[in-house]
Amino acid sequence: CWGSRISLVAPIPPSSPQHNLVPHMAAAHDLQTSCLMWLRCWLHDAQMRWARRSYLCAPWASAKLVLHNPYMASPRVLAHPFQVIALLKNCEVGKLDLFCAACPAAVMQDALPQLLRHVERQQLVSVLVPLLNNVALHAPLVSMLRRVDVLRLAEILNGTLPGKLDILLRCPGERVVDITCAVKHDRVSTMLALVNHA
């Protein structure tokens, strides 16, 4: 007995009922693992869909936005209800809050009503909203709001194809803003033609 070890657990005979349970236990374990993986994927997808919810689908987010940025509910802004609804319907929850936090309140208070008044609703949704939903473009967009005349910016938003302004704002530094400010009023349409064919 010194050279061998005695097993304290007796092997399960192949003909016993316990031996037949082994494959079923393995199958049950595989099923449980599959269910857990499916549940994890579903929760991740639900989290992503929740993050992409619009402000109209999340009243608490809209209330928070107005609470921290009172100018969002000013008479000058609410004078354009359809534009405001289009903006809140297409902006992802949290992204507009981040942009408002990055942009000085005085700039937004002056620029937002004019943009809502002069930018076409379709252009507001297809050109401006993607910029607001992209946090990486907030800084150059804020720079444009601060330095470019609002009416010129509205003309640019109305004349730019979807996705083109996104490419320009990715340029390093403030070159795009410098060029936009330097272009004469009668040359804005020429500049937009070049941008749309870039």
Side-chain angles (χ1 to χ4, degrees):
C1 62
W2 293 96
S4 63
R5 296 182 179 178
I6 300 175
S7 177
L8 299 178
V9 180
I12 301 174
S15 59
S16 67
Q18 294 181 357
H19 187 274
N20 297 330
L21 288 177
V22 173
H24 297 288
M25 293 175 63
H29 181 268
D30 292 341
L31 179 61
Q32 182 182 12
T33 303
S34 300
C35 290
L36 288 175
M37 292 181 62
W38 177 85
L39 181 61
R40 186 178 301 174
C41 293
W42 182 85
L43 289 174
H44 176 73
D45 182 65
Q47 184 179 9
M48 295 301 295
R49 283 188 282 108
W50 177 271
R52 291 192 294 267
R53 291 180 65 185
S54 70
Y55 284 87
L56 291 186
C57 298
W60 57 268
S62 301
K64 178 184 175 183
L65 178 67
V66 174
L67 180 64
H68 289 88
N69 307 282
Y71 55 81
M72 294 293 296
S74 67
R76 294 177 62 201
V77 170
L78 297 181
H80 311 283
F82 296 108
Q83 304 287 75
V84 173
I85 291 174
L87 188 67
L88 296 180
K89 180 181 178 181
N90 293 277
C91 280
E92 297 175 9
V93 168
K95 300 298 179 62
L96 194 53
D97 295 78
L98 293 174
F99 181 79
C100 291
C103 188
V107 175
M108 282 291 289
Q109 188 172 358
D110 178 65
L112 183 59
Q114 297 189 62
L115 291 177
L116 294 176
R117 178 182 179 183
H118 296 287
V119 178
E120 298 174 7
R121 195 183 316 167
Q122 180 60 37
Q123 292 298 105
L124 192 74
V125 173
S126 62
V127 178
L128 180 59
V129 167
L131 304 180
L132 297 174
N133 286 337
N134 191 338
V135 179
L137 300 180
H138 283 183
L141 185 57
V142 169
S143 182
M144 289 196 73
L145 279 175
R146 297 182 66 175
R147 296 182 52 192
V148 179
D149 180 72
V150 180
L151 294 180
R152 171 170 292 195
L153 184 56
E155 183 179 358
I156 292 173
L157 291 173
N158 282 326
T160 305
L161 295 175
K164 295 298 184 178
L165 202 55
D166 309 36
I167 300 173
L168 286 181
L169 290 178
R170 295 179 188 276
C171 295
E174 297 191 356
R175 296 177 183 176
V176 175
V177 180
D178 295 336
I179 295 174
T180 304
C181 293
V183 172
K184 296 182 179 180
H185 180 72
D186 57 346
R187 296 296 181 90
V188 173
S189 58
T190 304
M191 180 187 69
L192 294 178
L194 294 174
V195 169
N196 290 330
H197 287 85

